[in-house]
Amino acid sequence: MSGFNYEKDADGIVTVTMDMNGPVNSMSAEFNPLWKEMVDKLEKEDGLTGVVIASAKKTFFAGGDLNSLLATTSEQKKEFFNTLEDMKADMRRLEKLPVPVVSAINGAALGGGFEICLSTNYRIAYNHKSVQIGLPEVTLGLLPGGGGVVRMVNLLGLQNALPFLLEGKKVVPAKALKAGMIHETVETIEELIPRAKAYILEQKGNEAAAVQPWDVKGFKIPGGNANSPKLTQVITGAPAMLAQKTRGLLPAPEQILDCAIEAARLNFETAMTIESRGLTYLVNTPEAKNMISTFFFQMNKVNGGACRPKDVAPQLTKKVGVLGAGMMGQGIAYSSAMVGIEVVLKDISVEAAEKGKAYTEKLLAKRVSKGRMTEEKKSDILALIKPTADDADLQGCDLIIEAVFENIELKNKITASTEKYLAEGGVWGSNTSTLPITQLAEASEKPENFIGIHFFSPVDKMPLVEIICGEKTSDVALAKAFDYTRQIKKTPIVVNDSLAFYTSRTFGTFMDEGVRILQDGAHPVRIDNLGKALGMPVGPLSVQDEVSIELTRKVAETQKEMGVYGKFGPTESQQEIIDFMISQNGRGGRHHGGGFYEYSDGGKTIWQPLVEKYFNADYDISDEDIKDRILFRQVIETLKCLETNVLRSVADGNIGSIMGIGAPVWTGGFIQFVNTYGLEKFQARCGELAAKYGERFECPAIVAGKIAAGETFQ
């Protein structure tokens, strides 16, 4: 059996070691024939006492073949469903063998990989953090269609299974054991197959060891079935709770919940068919196509270093200087120390620097209190951070990151006074969110070693870093920034220099369009509600309150001083709102005493003078137009960034929009959205919006170019 190594020992135990073509085992076109052949052979085996399913790869089994899932079309629904049912029938045959079948889990068993394990009687895993177990299909817009939903509900009960199914939780073996997903762990890989065989021998004469729990006569689902009074409240409340989280924008969680409830209501075989129908439906949705494209293929491309210079050796950061111990600086210091990097945290006073270090201490104390860290480890991490007010302490840093206010004079002054302390060949990074790197680098003696490293707040939680290359930034500096970002376990996107770069520039259009719709006469609460209904984390007015209208004013002032204000379009709407909110009424945002909203312990309410000034009950605009104005402004700006080479790749644009701007997950990112919306349809809709609301909605020429070439954005 090429692809599956089949060996029977003297005790009658067959070990099937999966070793398919390519770097991992997966449910590719190669899998189904191999699996069927294996089961056929096992069913005919004389003197069979047990079966061990193992892997020759570093991962046990990687799950479904996402390339084929992405390529599946609606015309192939019947074929897809039948293939899925055939595969599940063979998995069912495996679990009905009259001997114990054991999974020897040596590496990650996710999605289809864990579904294989669920179809075996006994599951043993190598107890190591590299071994992840779970069903993360929901994160790709899919459901576990290889029996995962049905078996998990039957194994754990509906209530306990739902977090793993609806959240796509992945756990290490110790947690999987505690949850009841596996039966046993071993401490070394070498013990795995011998222990699996020993278990089989221990079950000699025990017929029950070869029977799945759900195949035992009189079996009852843990926690009760769907008709159980205990579950009535869960089943009744779950759809509403789910809708609150997904806002009805993601079909996969709804399908999973549906299938899980049916698995708790119907017989095993019928529930399996319903599960197959669920996956057949989801695999053809635009949401699944978008999420697979971006969250798997493009994320791997970004993290794999597609935009990193290939001929530069790995650049390990050993000592980082962080200038400014405020909200951003303290988060950078924490993220660096957490991975063992020595940190010099500098501010204008030792007291301010100590306060910045206290942020790390607070976060670590929380970990200790939850049992996720020892006091000793906490002390070791804190010892890596040196708070100081002395520039000389920066001596020998191979990377310095400036994280002070968005003021070009201040940044230039700091660069000039502290750059000399960098180690030979060291790199200077500016955590600016808007100021052009080429211009900032003019204050540097070595502009080739100057780069933008834009973090997002709060740094300890936000997974993205936007790396910005100036005109003179070298490949070595880029490699250094990229490798440092991966070192602190964050995702880097790489962009070229521009005012506000990519994320801040595009995010600005989100806030700007919200203000423009307000000024046109729409009610502010309606604008924010439709922004959320679209899938943005919060509405455009609420988010401007959070980042502060005052910050918008300061950025505008800085850009005016630099002579670049208004470079990307008219600014009269922004100027008007700054004048009304700040100059006339002293309302700079939530942390400045209030902005568009009033804030209290009881929540927030709209500031009534805003309604009185702008709301026009006679203004006629549809919900669809408001949502499209909010979404299309950001998509158009993203396309302009791609068109002008601010964005270096489609992948960077999509990942950056999701992780840095808050693009709705269902879109797969602002560029991927255009692919599944349809390029011609997108072009036409842009034309409609431009005719009604202004030239800012004109479709970028790059779209027409793709249409003419018969291409999509890849």
Side-chain angles (χ1 to χ4, degrees):
M1 291 174 63
S2 176
F4 279 14
N5 300 320
Y6 188 103
E7 294 179 5
K8 185 178 181 182
D9 67 13
D11 293 313
I13 299 172
V14 169
T15 300
V16 179
T17 306
M18 299 180 289
D19 192 10
M20 298 169 67
N21 290 321
V24 295
N25 299 310
S26 71
M27 287 175 178
S28 62
E30 182 188 10
F31 174 74
N32 274 9
L34 283 172
W35 190 259
K36 182 180 286 291
E37 184 184 353
M38 176 196 75
V39 178
D40 286 346
K41 196 168 180 179
L42 288 170
E43 286 180 335
K44 295 171 185 173
E45 193 71 62
D46 288 329
L48 185 67
T49 59
V51 181
V52 178
I53 306 292
S55 170
K57 310 289 189 183
K58 285 187 178 179
T59 57
F60 175 77
F61 196 97
D65 179 5
L66 294 176
N67 279 302
S68 65
L69 291 174
L70 197 57
T72 302
T73 64
S74 56
E75 289 76 27
Q76 297 169 312
K77 279 183 179 179
K78 187 175 181 180
E79 180 188 345
F80 180 87
F81 174 81
N82 290 337
T83 301
L84 186 58
E85 285 284 274
D86 286 346
M87 181 192 73
K88 290 166 79 169
D90 290 332
M91 292 170 79
R92 191 79 174 109
R93 287 165 61 202
L94 180 77
E95 70 181 350
K96 286 193 169 186
L97 287 173
V99 296
V101 183
V102 182
S103 301
I105 307 169
N106 65 310
L110 297 171
F114 186 53
E115 287 179 304
I116 287 174
C117 299
L118 286 170
S119 69
T120 65
N121 305 107
Y122 201 77
R123 295 171 285 281
I124 306 174
Y126 167 41
N127 191 21
H128 191 269
K129 63 182 180 182
S130 65
V131 180
Q132 289 193 312
I133 294 168
L135 298 165
E137 282 88 343
V138 68
T139 62
L140 297 176
L142 303 169
L143 64 74
V149 176
V150 178
R151 287 191 177 94
M152 280 288 278
V153 169
N154 278 271
L155 181 69
L156 304 182
L158 179 65
Q159 198 161 2
N160 291 337
L162 283 178
F164 292 99
L165 298 170
L166 292 175
E167 299 167 26
K169 283 174 68 174
K170 296 179 282 189
V171 291
V172 293
K175 290 189 176 179
L177 181 64
K178 187 177 180 181
M181 297 163 72
I182 62 174
H183 300 90
E184 192 179 332
T185 61
V186 294
E187 294 307 310
T188 65
I189 285 184
E190 291 72 26
E191 295 174 79
L192 201 50
I193 292 177
R195 176 57 202 141
K197 288 185 173 185
Y199 169 79
I200 290 170
L201 293 175
E202 289 164 10
Q203 306 311 310
K204 191 173 181 180
N206 178 16
E207 292 181 4
V211 183
Q212 292 283 53
W214 40 87
D215 289 328
V216 175
K217 190 174 180 181
F219 168 74
K220 292 183 179 177
I221 294 174
N225 63 22
N227 299 320
S228 164
K230 292 179 184 177
L231 285 182
T232 301
Q233 193 172 349
V234 174
I235 292 171
T236 304
M241 290 174 66
L242 189 63
Q244 196 173 20
K245 286 184 179 180
T246 67
R247 303 174 200 167
L249 298 169
L250 299 172
E254 293 178 3
Q255 281 289 321
I256 290 170
L257 180 61
D258 228 18
C259 289
I261 291 171
E262 292 304 318
R265 175 177 288 124
L266 303 170
N267 68 65
F268 190 90
E269 306 297 348
T270 305
M272 290 286 262
T273 301
I274 288 171
E275 180 190 88
S276 296
R277 288 176 186 154
L279 181 57
T280 302
Y281 162 71
L282 288 173
V283 81
N284 286 290
T285 61
E287 292 85 357
K289 305 291 189 193
N290 288 341
M291 292 169 78
I292 292 169
S293 295
T294 300
F295 297 135
F296 185 79
F297 291 109
Q298 293 180 19
M299 181 69 84
N300 286 343
K301 186 177 177 182
V302 166
N303 282 331
C307 284
R308 184 194 186 279
K310 301 291 183 287
D311 56 350
V312 179
Q315 303 286 306
L316 184 70
T317 295
K318 296 178 181 177
K319 183 179 181 182
V320 64
V322 182
L323 309 184
M327 183 171 63
M328 298 301 287
Q330 64 193 15
I332 297 168
Y334 167 81
S335 298
S336 300
M338 280 295 286
V339 296
I341 299 173
E342 184 183 346
V343 180
V344 178
L345 183 58
K346 183 191 174 295
D347 212 305
I348 54 173
S349 69
V350 174
E351 290 77 19
E354 289 279 8
K355 188 177 178 183
K357 180 176 178 176
Y359 179 78
T360 294
E361 187 165 15
K362 178 183 174 184
L363 292 179
L364 297 182
K366 190 180 289 186
R367 282 176 170 256
V368 172
S369 70
K370 292 182 177 180
R372 294 168 58 199
M373 180 177 284
T374 63
E375 281 287 352
E376 183 182 9
K377 180 66 174 173
K378 172 188 165 187
S379 298
D380 289 344
I381 293 171
L382 286 172
L384 290 169
I385 303 176
K386 178 181 176 62
T388 184
D390 187 353
D391 287 351
D393 285 329
L394 296 166
Q395 187 67 52
C397 286
D398 49 313
L399 175 65
I400 291 178
I401 301 172
E402 160 271 302
V404 300
F405 300 114
E406 288 288 271
N407 180 289
I408 195 164
E409 288 183 11
L410 175 62
K411 289 179 183 286
N412 288 349
K413 180 181 175 184
I414 288 172
T415 302
S417 64
T418 56
E419 188 182 41
K420 60 189 176 185
Y421 296 106
L422 274 171
E424 183 66 30
V427 171
W428 182 279
S430 177
N431 176 50
T432 177
S433 58
T434 59
L435 304 178
I437 295 303
T438 303
Q439 208 163 336
L440 287 173
E442 290 173 2
S444 170
E445 290 184 5
K446 295 181 178 178
E448 69 275 13
N449 289 349
F450 197 104
I451 196 164
I453 306 178
H454 174 208
F455 289 83
F456 296 78
S457 183
V459 176
D460 55 285
K461 292 180 180 176
M462 295 296 280
L464 189 76
V465 173
E466 183 179 30
I467 298 170
I468 310 103
C469 294
E471 288 176 9
K472 296 182 179 179
T473 300
S474 69
D475 281 354
V476 172
L478 171 54
K480 179 74 171 180
F482 187 97
D483 292 352
Y484 165 72
T485 302
R486 296 300 293 143
Q487 201 175 335
I488 61 172
K489 303 185 187 323
K490 295 193 183 292
T491 294
I493 63 166
V494 181
V495 304
N496 290 323
D497 199 18
S498 165
L499 179 64
F501 326 126
Y502 165 51
T503 55
S504 295
R505 174 175 157 182
T506 303
F507 183 66
T509 64
F510 172 51
M511 296 190 294
D512 180 67
E513 197 58 34
V515 165
R516 286 173 181 267
I517 299 168
L518 172 75
Q519 291 166 336
D520 284 349
H523 196 286
V525 174
R526 182 185 177 205
I527 297 167
D528 270 355
N529 285 346
L530 288 172
K532 286 186 70 176
L534 174 68
M536 297 298 294
V538 292
L541 303 180
S542 289
V543 83
Q544 190 155 356
D545 256 11
E546 293 295 334
V547 300
S548 94
I549 308 167
E550 175 60 21
L551 178 61
T552 304
R553 186 192 68 77
K554 285 181 179 177
V555 169
E557 290 302 314
T558 298
Q559 291 179 358
K560 285 175 186 175
E561 290 169 15
M562 295 169 65
V564 294
Y565 187 61
K567 183 178 178 181
F568 295 117
T571 57
E572 67 277 358
S573 291
Q574 185 185 74
Q575 283 297 109
E576 181 194 318
I577 210 72
I578 288 172
D579 179 63
F580 176 68
M581 296 300 294
I582 298 177
S583 303
Q584 296 180 35
N585 292 286
R587 297 183 69 82
R590 180 172 185 172
H591 301 289
H592 296 273
F596 297 124
Y597 289 87
E598 299 275 19
Y599 298 89
S600 67
D601 292 340
K604 67 179 186 181
T605 54
I606 198 70
W607 180 54
Q608 279 306 311
L610 186 74
V611 179
E612 292 164 10
K613 179 169 178 63
Y614 290 113
F615 176 54
N616 177 1
D618 296 325
Y619 178 57
D620 184 23
I621 183 172
S622 67
D623 287 355
E624 182 185 10
D625 274 13
I626 290 178
K627 288 194 285 188
D628 279 358
R629 284 177 65 174
I630 291 170
L631 177 60
F632 275 59
R633 265 302 294 281
Q634 297 177 85
V635 174
I636 288 168
E637 199 65 30
T638 298
L639 292 171
K640 287 179 180 177
C641 288
L642 185 65
E643 190 174 55
T644 57
N645 203 33
V646 172
L647 275 171
R648 293 185 169 200
S649 74
V650 169
D652 283 332
N654 285 327
I655 296 298
S657 67
I658 295 276
M659 298 174 84
I661 302 169
V665 169
W666 62 268
T667 64
F670 287 142
I671 304 176
Q672 176 60 25
F673 163 75
V674 182
N675 288 339
T676 47
Y677 189 86
L679 274 70
E680 291 90 346
K681 183 181 172 187
F682 178 80
Q683 187 182 51
R685 182 58 173 152
C686 283
E688 293 170 3
L689 293 171
K692 290 170 78 172
Y693 304 110
E695 63 183 16
R696 64 189 180 279
F697 288 104
E698 287 178 0
C699 191
I702 193 172
V703 176
K706 290 290 183 184
I707 292 170
E711 298 173 350
T712 57
F713 290 100
Q714 301 299 327

